[in-house]
Amino acid sequence: MSTTTALRTFPDVRADFPGLTAGWHYLDTAATAQKPQAVIDATVAAMGRDYATVHRGVYARSADMTLAYEAARRRIAAFIGARDEQIAFVRGATEAINLVAYSHPKKGRVLLSVLEHHSNIVPWQLAGWQVDVCPLTEDGRIDLDAAEKLLTPEHTMVAFAHVSNVLGSPLDVARAAELAHRVGAELLIDGCQAVPRLPVDVAALGCDYYVFSGHKLYGPTGVGVLWSDKLDTLPPWQGGGSMIDRVTFAKTTYAPAPTRFEAGTPAIIEAIGLAAAVDYVEAIGIDAIHAHECALVGSLREALARKNSITLFGPENSAGIVSFSMAGVHPHDIGTILDESGVAIRAGHHCAQPLMEHLGVAATARASFGVYSNEDDVAALIDGLARVERIFG
């Protein structure tokens, strides 16, 4: 599909998002996505008219809420090609990675990459893993040829981003899985930037763990997903109510997965909201979303490439994300001046300081797209950057 066709045929859904006020160009979806009214309505109903606790009450509304909560689990599992017992609800991808890092019974060497988010670096360090680092290709992808050479039988885990939150570079997950498994390691994939814009089938990908956060998928904050077909091999990470089988002062036995990983009262409202977000995304179509965002990325990269002051980072086919710098202007200044023009981007190190060091910059400016983004947003960004050039010229 051509860029023009993808942009013209994609539905205009901005009216579905009450946070997108007139004249405001939101280009920070990689940080967090705006919420459609359908998600807001689902969370309001769950918090109000339908609210009760789950799994504990014998009264009708508690039973109904339990059914809704578990239906949300099934809905979200199906979205990534999984079974409901294979996904645990957590607070977000950060908690999911911490859970695996701390609970994994075979802590050893973990292979990360230069482009990882801090949430896929720090948990492994804190949990006592020995960290090795895979370099990037010249255009900013995880270098799987280098990974193949680096991996040894001492590695028990490989943890890579499916899509970089800075460069937008996609990973060949199936090949990464094959390389990891060849030496007996497991593969964890950070899918935060992939799930909102790429088709994800965890069985086809071949990874062992897949994590993502709800708020980047147009859902609420405070909820995320850990998928694995190996959850039953992991011991509990946090203790409390719900995750137990039987408790005595002498010994406690634990519930099977995924319940053993959901200690305490779960994120009931948030899980239901995330299921509504999945419904919303699937109604549009993930392939259509991907094509639309690719078209916007192509349009923006083409416009920025014509500016001598701009340096672009990442591959040409970056997924929904464009990072750049402007000669002689700090990204924070770019972001501040753009904000005066009603354009919201992200400026900083994007929780990826090792990548910034690799790129040779302290920070970058980042524009990222969502289902509500359009050509007007690209034009407003380009106009705003022209103003930045005039101010600093």
Side-chain angles (χ1 to χ4, degrees), residues 67-77 87 89 268 271-275:
L67 291 173
Y69 178 73
E70 293 302 332
R73 191 192 306 274
R74 289 192 299 275
R75 182 70 187 90
I76 296 161
I87 74 164
F89 287 125
I268 304 166
I272 290 170
L274 181 53

Side-chain angles (χ1 to χ4, degrees), residues 340-361:
E340 294 171 354
S341 301
V343 178
I345 65 161
R346 178 57 58 98
H349 57 64
H350 316 295
C351 294
Q353 288 177 317
L355 177 56
M356 295 298 110
E357 184 176 354
H358 169 78
L359 296 175
V361 297

